[in-house]
Amino acid sequence: MIGQLQRDNFRKAFKAGVRMAFGSDGGVYPHGDNGKQFHYMVEYGMTPMQAIQAATVHAAELIGWPDTVGAIAPGRFADIIAIDGNPLDEVELLEDVAFVMKGGKVFKQDH
């Protein structure tokens, strides 16, 4: 019941224009499952691009780091992921990340 109330409130808030930022929700579910949140963000009102922006540029702005993280650009941290496919067509692809680079160092490379 609480989960559905949260999702309904997410939809209402987003529709009302509240800026959303993607977070880890640490402690709510197992570490590493946060990519599953994209599905729900889309199911409850966002486009896939809006959900991705909530996890990147909007999150960077909301934590006060818009010139440091949140986009791929010179002078920013090299925090990049790669997946097989286009998440704008199927946002759930973000649940299976094949490549992770953080701070310019590769941490995961499946392919």
Side-chain angles (χ1 to χ4, degrees):
M1 184 172 82
I2 298 297
Q4 188 60 52
L5 179 62
Q6 182 272 336
R7 291 177 183 117
D8 293 340
N9 285 335
F10 175 93
R11 176 183 279 141
K12 289 175 191 175
F14 180 70
K15 189 175 182 179
V18 173
R19 289 188 70 193
M20 301 292 181
F22 191 98
S24 69
D25 289 344
V28 177
Y29 49 78
H31 179 71
D33 283 350
N34 38 333
K36 294 178 181 179
Q37 190 65 30
F38 288 108
H39 166 84
Y40 291 104
M41 294 171 91
V42 171
E43 182 177 338
Y44 287 90
M46 290 183 158
T47 66
M49 180 58 83
Q50 289 169 324
I52 292 167
Q53 289 172 329
T56 55
V57 64
H58 293 201
E61 291 168 357
L62 290 169
I63 65 168
W65 287 18
D67 298 325
T68 308
V69 298
I72 300 170
R76 296 185 184 216
F77 287 98
D79 297 347
I80 301 168
I81 66 160
I83 57 171
D84 291 322
N86 185 347
L88 300 180
D89 295 331
E90 185 181 352
V91 77
E92 291 80 8
L93 292 171
L94 292 167
E95 297 174 24
D96 186 21
V97 176
F99 176 87
V100 176
M101 178 185 289
K102 179 166 179 45
K105 181 180 175 188
V106 175
F107 283 85
K108 179 179 181 182
Q109 189 168 7
D110 287 347
H111 305 289

